[in-house]
Amino acid sequence: TGSTVAGKSFGEICGRYAKKCVLELGGSDPFIVLDDANLDKAADLGVKSRFKNNAQACTNAKRFIVHESVYDEYKQKVIDILSKMKVGDPMDEKTELGPLAKENSIKALRKQIKDTVDKGGKIGYGDEAQLEGDIDASKGFFFTPVILEDIPEDSEAYREELFGPVLSFFKIKDDEEAIKLANDNQYGLGGAVHTADLERGKKFCLRVETGMMNVNSATGGSNVLPYGGIKNSGYGRESSVHGCGEFVKIKTVQIFKA
């Protein structure tokens, strides 16, 4: 479990010695909100999914793909939640967003946001002042929530994983565009789609290129179901009987009468 670069290096070593391995790597999970979604529920679960582990989890919701007819309303509901979010000491039970793991995490987010804005994207919500100046390690590596919009295809926010409290918002006009956008990424770990039509949701589950997909829930997996991704999110599975099978070597024995 780790970054794609680190995982591939382990995979190379395992291949050299013909050893099995399971790689659960990076992700840029799509969180799709369709025109018939329960927007209050989708906003609540979207924020919770994005900010799990202080927005530093591979299965965080990272790309919010929202139907144009509900885009503005949904974004405002998300902003309403973010504006009330308590940022502070992670040891305080009332804290909802603590610091990032290290200084380089802030530097990486700054670089990715600036690249996206320089190429035509815009900041739809957030404190732009935190993108500049020295980082005071004595106060902790805090980075408050940011929403990016109008994200260009050649930008870092479009192509890369943003490992921190940045929500990338995309506006789509129909299901086909949503699926195409969800799949236009190097990662394929998890994802979620929100819709009142469960059959519609099932179609997304089959067509979105991820190892895990949820309908009307957060992104991510379960401890009792196979957990893992495809593409640059890795291969193999953890958890459940399928996960157990990854960590054993199966031996076949046939016995016949003499």
Side-chain angles (χ1 to χ4, degrees):
T1 297
S3 72
T4 297
V5 173
K8 286 183 176 181
S9 69
F10 274 98
E12 290 176 2
I13 295 169
C14 289
R16 198 178 306 153
Y17 296 99
K19 298 293 185 181
K20 291 178 65 175
C21 70
V22 173
L23 301 180
E24 191 274 288
L25 310 176
S28 188
D29 289 9
F31 191 91
I32 304 167
V33 181
L34 301 180
D35 52 347
D36 61 347
N38 180 329
L39 298 185
D40 289 324
K41 180 179 180 180
D44 178 63
L45 285 171
V47 171
K48 287 179 179 176
S49 184
R50 183 65 188 100
F51 289 90
K52 178 174 55 180
N53 197 39
N54 289 344
Q56 301 165 103
C58 51
T59 53
N60 286 137
K62 297 190 175 82
R63 294 180 293 142
F64 288 75
I65 299 172
V66 186
H67 193 279
E68 60 185 6
S69 65
V70 296
Y71 183 92
D72 291 337
E73 183 180 359
Y74 179 74
K75 185 183 76 169
Q76 188 56 55
K77 287 181 181 294
V78 171
I79 289 174
D80 289 343
I81 297 173
L82 297 181
S83 64
K84 300 172 185 176
M85 183 173 284
K86 178 175 173 55
V87 181
D89 183 354
M91 300 303 291
D92 185 342
E93 292 183 358
K94 295 181 180 179
T95 294
E96 296 171 282
L97 179 63
L100 299 182
K102 52 190 178 181
E103 184 175 357
N104 282 345
S105 298
I106 294 180
K107 291 180 178 178
L109 286 179
R110 284 180 171 184
K111 177 178 177 292
Q112 290 168 318
I113 293 171
K114 289 178 182 178
D115 172 82
T116 302
V117 172
D118 288 345
K119 291 176 178 174
K122 70 177 184 180
I123 296 176
Y125 174 83
D127 179 14
E128 296 187 37
Q130 66 183 330
L131 300 177
E132 306 291 343
D134 296 332
I135 300 171
D136 188 351
S138 67
K139 295 182 179 180
F141 301 122
F142 288 95
F143 199 89
T144 57
V146 169
I147 291 177
L148 287 176
E149 298 180 280
D150 299 334
I151 299 170
E153 291 187 13
D154 62 343
S155 68
E156 293 190 14
Y158 190 97
R159 296 293 175 189
E160 298 180 5
E161 176 181 23
L162 274 65
F163 212 63
V166 180
L167 299 81
S168 299
F169 266 60
F170 300 86
K171 186 185 296 184
I172 48 91
K173 63 179 183 298
D174 56 32
D175 291 9
E176 288 300 318
E177 186 178 6
I179 292 169
K180 181 180 178 181
L181 179 57
N183 291 339
D184 189 20
N185 196 270
Q186 64 172 311
Y187 297 108
L189 189 54
V193 58
H194 283 254
T195 173
D197 185 342
L198 297 186
E199 290 303 316
R200 189 182 185 189
K202 289 178 184 178
K203 291 178 182 177
F204 271 81
C205 290
L206 294 174
R207 296 185 61 193
V208 175
E209 297 167 352
T210 56
M212 303 175 287
M213 195 71 185
N214 298 326
V215 180
N216 296 327
S217 181
T219 56
S222 164
N223 290 331
V224 296
L225 295 172
Y227 183 101
I230 60 174
K231 300 197 283 191
N232 274 343
S233 290
Y235 54 77
R237 293 295 179 266
E238 303 169 44
S239 299
S240 81
V241 65
H242 300 281
C244 292
E246 298 280 10
F247 295 93
V248 300
K249 294 181 179 179
I250 298 172
K251 184 171 185 175
T252 300
V253 176
Q254 299 186 86
I255 300 175
F256 301 92
K257 289 182 179 180

